[in-house]
Amino acid sequence: MNDSVSLLHFAIAVPLIAAFATLWAGKLGRPAVQIVSVTGFAIPTILAIIAWVLYNPEVAGGYDFVTRHNTGLEAVGISLHLGLNGVALPLFVMAAVVGLAAGLYAAQSKAENLSRYLFCLLVMQGGLMGVFASIDVFFFYFFHELALIPTFVMVGVWGGRDRGYAAMKMTIYLTLGAMLSLAGLIALYVKSGAESFDLITLKAHLAAAPLSETVSHYAFGLLLFGFGILVSLWPLHTWAPLGYGAAPSSAAMLHAGVLKKFGLYGLIQIAVPLIPGGVGQWESWIIWLALGNVVIVGLVTMAQRDLKQMLGYSSVMHMGYAFLGIAAMSVIGVAGAVIMMVAHGLTVALLFMLSTMIHHRTQTFEMEEMGGLSKKAPVLSAFFVCGMMASIALPGPGLANFWGEFGIFVSLWQFKPWVLFVAATGIIISAIYALRAIANVFFGHESEDFLEVQKEHTVVDMTWAERVPALILILVLFFIGFFPKTISSSINEALESEPVYQTANANQ
């Protein structure tokens, strides 16, 4: 095994080892806990950047850094098979970057039992790195569950308002989604006859002996709705705003920013390539439900007065665009969806973190009880405006989200222009709620409630400890925005190698 291959092992193992080391460090005091935990988040980020620099798209099979380890379950086709292709690589890096920002912010939090809080967050991080590095479908699912379980714990133990109800609702919905997607994956394993959970093996086997139309229909349906629940596809989305509203900031950053991309990633990397006829069979369902995300959830977002709830609904709304990019079944559409997944992960993590900083200064999430905060915290104001402009994909250089939505819109014009016209209403909706939030929180007159808060608390601008994690996310957003080919090239090459997208492009 060479050094580059071992990158993936260490990127997964280090957070998990650091999680247990953090519990031990708790006996030594808060500084020890902070050092150990930040190290556990920083090392995977460094390794992910190295992987991005060393990645070779010309490698045979499309996966670089490939390694396989026996698990004792080879009789049923399960092995720890790791590697990165052009789709997995940018999401792998994004997971590391968001994890680092979330870890830096969590390390300075005042959470009770900080070592246990960071333990849960580090376990989530290890699972997230494993999700995007797994070629074996079993471990793809296993790492998702490894990251998901601490989410429930963090919401239930360290969450805010309605945390008990939110944790229970998240558990019910996400368990249902996980079970449906697991049933779909098992159906693929059984009906393919490949006797392997290895994605590369499954692709080769099903290319030679495709599933019957009936099996394809039901298997893809299970994966669509299973993954869809995990991504908060309308109308099975109500767990998400409630859960993110109650979740502690770092948990919301990792789940909304990274873990929620599991379902979309599963559709792009597993469902569509293995069941190429599935999208066509379920095309109308995908389109109408995705438009529900964009239009219906978008209108609900406009009605929110709670800042964190607004961000939660906004996150759900924008997932609709990614589903539409997949429905278009073209390289530019799916590539746009992947770029949007990366940009959205960075943006929503930034906004959830900033919303908590706003809460610390105003003692509320109710936007009507704020106002004029830019006078007291101009840097926080600038960061938030930047994040909101990125979230609504404001056209122009330097905003990574724009390139994702632009690719999706171009694909929809080639696919079904009427879908584009309906989806484009989301641009207006996004602008309305984003500008209103900026105006209510940072500009205008200070509300009476905020004036009362200032009598008891001194309102200060962002500290450097708060600025560093925010800067990490913003700088990566700007880097991708100014140099989109740094990730789009590898994504396009990976998608162009898939026969299903080649066929779709030829038909269009």
Side-chain angles (χ1 to χ4, degrees), residues 226-482:
F227 287 145
I229 292 172
L230 300 176
V231 182
S232 62
L233 178 64
W234 182 86
L236 304 170
H237 68 285
T238 54
W239 63 267
L242 179 67
Y244 298 149
S249 297
S250 294
M253 291 169 69
L254 276 184
H255 193 284
V258 186
L259 190 57
K260 195 160 74 168
K261 308 305 182 291
F262 167 84
L264 292 167
Y265 179 75
L267 287 173
I268 293 169
Q269 286 277 68
I270 299 174
V272 174
L274 297 185
I275 316 174
V279 175
Q281 293 173 328
W282 290 91
E283 180 183 284
S284 296
W285 284 84
I286 299 173
I287 291 172
W288 285 109
L289 295 181
L291 288 176
N293 276 72
V294 174
V295 179
I296 298 176
V297 178
L299 293 173
V300 174
T301 306
M302 286 176 54
Q304 299 307 305
R305 296 296 180 264
D306 181 293
L307 177 60
K308 206 170 183 184
Q309 287 288 303
M310 186 207 74
L311 295 176
Y313 278 104
S314 169
S315 172
V316 173
M317 173 193 172
H318 284 90
M319 291 299 94
Y321 288 124
F323 276 104
L324 290 174
I326 295 171
M329 283 289 286
S330 64
V331 170
I332 190 171
V334 179
V338 176
I339 295 172
M340 184 178 179
M341 288 159 64
V342 174
H344 177 271
L346 297 165
T347 305
V348 76
L350 172 67
L351 290 172
F352 273 124
M353 180 171 59
L354 294 176
S355 70
T356 301
M357 295 179 189
I358 292 169
H359 181 271
H360 289 164
R361 288 158 175 81
T362 62
Q363 304 299 303
T364 183
F365 283 114
E366 293 294 328
M367 291 183 281
E368 293 178 353
E369 297 177 9
M370 303 179 191
L373 186 56
S374 63
K375 301 173 185 176
K376 306 289 184 179
V379 175
L380 177 57
S381 172
F383 274 81
F384 189 83
V385 171
C386 182
M388 289 304 294
M389 292 301 101
S391 176
I392 66 175
L394 186 72
L399 298 172
N401 307 61
F402 167 73
W403 299 114
E405 286 196 20
F406 180 74
I408 292 169
F409 286 165
V410 170
S411 71
L412 291 177
W413 175 257
Q414 299 170 343
F415 173 54
K416 292 182 184 294
W418 72 266
V419 177
L420 169 61
F421 291 128
V422 177
T425 61
I427 299 174
I428 301 171
I429 293 171
S430 298
I432 291 172
Y433 71 68
L435 293 175
R436 185 172 61 191
I438 292 170
N440 287 343
V441 175
F442 290 100
F443 300 101
H445 298 292
E446 296 171 327
S447 68
E448 292 183 5
D449 298 278
F450 187 32
L451 290 172
E452 288 297 318
V453 168
Q454 293 180 62
K455 293 178 182 179
E456 300 179 7
H457 303 278
T458 302
V459 178
V460 297
D461 207 350
M462 293 174 72
T463 65
W464 274 106
E466 293 174 318
R467 294 182 192 187
V468 169
L471 275 171
I472 290 171
L473 296 172
I474 284 181
L475 288 176
V476 176
L477 272 171
F478 272 102
F479 178 79
I480 298 173
F482 280 111

Side-chain angles (χ1 to χ4, degrees), residues 21-351:
T22 299
L23 293 178
W24 172 80
K27 301 176 183 179
L28 303 178
R30 185 181 178 91
V33 171
Q34 293 173 320
I35 292 171
V36 172
S37 63
V38 170
T39 302
F41 287 108
I43 291 177
T45 306
I46 295 170
L47 296 175
I49 293 171
I50 293 173
W52 176 69
V53 172
L54 297 179
Y55 176 73
N56 177 15
E58 305 299 328
V59 69
Y63 283 87
D64 203 358
F65 316 118
V66 175
T67 182
R68 187 194 299 268
H69 287 286
N70 293 333
T71 60
L73 299 172
E74 284 70 31
V76 291
I78 298 173
S79 62
L80 183 56
H81 193 187
L82 303 177
L84 296 172
N85 70 352
V87 173
L89 177 64
L91 292 165
F92 184 77
V93 177
M94 182 269 287
V97 171
V98 172
L100 176 60
L104 287 171
Y105 191 61
Q108 57 183 297
S109 74
K110 298 179 181 179
E112 186 178 354
N113 294 319
L114 182 62
S115 61
R116 296 179 185 178
Y117 179 77
L118 290 167
F119 168 84
C120 291
L121 208 63
L122 283 161
V123 172
M124 282 186 70
Q125 183 66 16
L128 292 171
M129 302 306 290
V131 163
F132 300 116
S134 294
I135 299 176
D136 187 279
V137 174
F138 173 85
F139 277 99
F140 162 76
Y141 184 86
F142 168 80
F143 282 122
H144 171 263
E145 297 305 297
L146 180 65
L148 186 60
I149 293 172
T151 306
F152 303 145
V153 175
M154 295 186 77
V155 173
V157 176
W158 290 282
R161 184 179 58 190
D162 298 327
R163 64 186 182 185
Y165 176 64
M168 182 60 67
K169 189 166 186 176
M170 287 184 73
T171 302
I172 293 171
Y173 271 80
L174 297 184
T175 300
L176 174 61
M179 291 299 101
L180 288 175
S181 57
L182 178 61
L185 295 174
I186 292 175
L188 281 175
Y189 170 80
V190 173
K191 293 298 183 179
S192 70
E195 298 183 350
S196 174
F197 280 97
D198 184 84
L199 182 57
I200 297 173
T201 302
L202 283 168
K203 282 182 181 179
H205 194 88
L206 288 173
L211 299 173
S212 68
E213 185 174 337
T214 301
V215 173
S216 295
H217 178 80
Y218 288 109
F220 192 90
L222 286 169
L223 292 175
L224 172 62
F225 287 99
F227 287 145
I229 292 172
L230 300 176
V231 182
S232 62
L233 178 64
W234 182 86
L236 304 170
H237 68 285
T238 54
W239 63 267
L242 179 67
Y244 298 149
S249 297
S250 294
M253 291 169 69
L254 276 184
H255 193 284
V258 186
L259 190 57
K260 195 160 74 168
K261 308 305 182 291
F262 167 84
L264 292 167
Y265 179 75
L267 287 173
I268 293 169
Q269 286 277 68
I270 299 174
V272 174
L274 297 185
I275 316 174
V279 175
Q281 293 173 328
W282 290 91
E283 180 183 284
S284 296
W285 284 84
I286 299 173
I287 291 172
W288 285 109
L289 295 181
L291 288 176
N293 276 72
V294 174
V295 179
I296 298 176
V297 178
L299 293 173
V300 174
T301 306
M302 286 176 54
Q304 299 307 305
R305 296 296 180 264
D306 181 293
L307 177 60
K308 206 170 183 184
Q309 287 288 303
M310 186 207 74
L311 295 176
Y313 278 104
S314 169
S315 172
V316 173
M317 173 193 172
H318 284 90
M319 291 299 94
Y321 288 124
F323 276 104
L324 290 174
I326 295 171
M329 283 289 286
S330 64
V331 170
I332 190 171
V334 179
V338 176
I339 295 172
M340 184 178 179
M341 288 159 64
V342 174
H344 177 271
L346 297 165
T347 305
V348 76
L350 172 67
L351 290 172

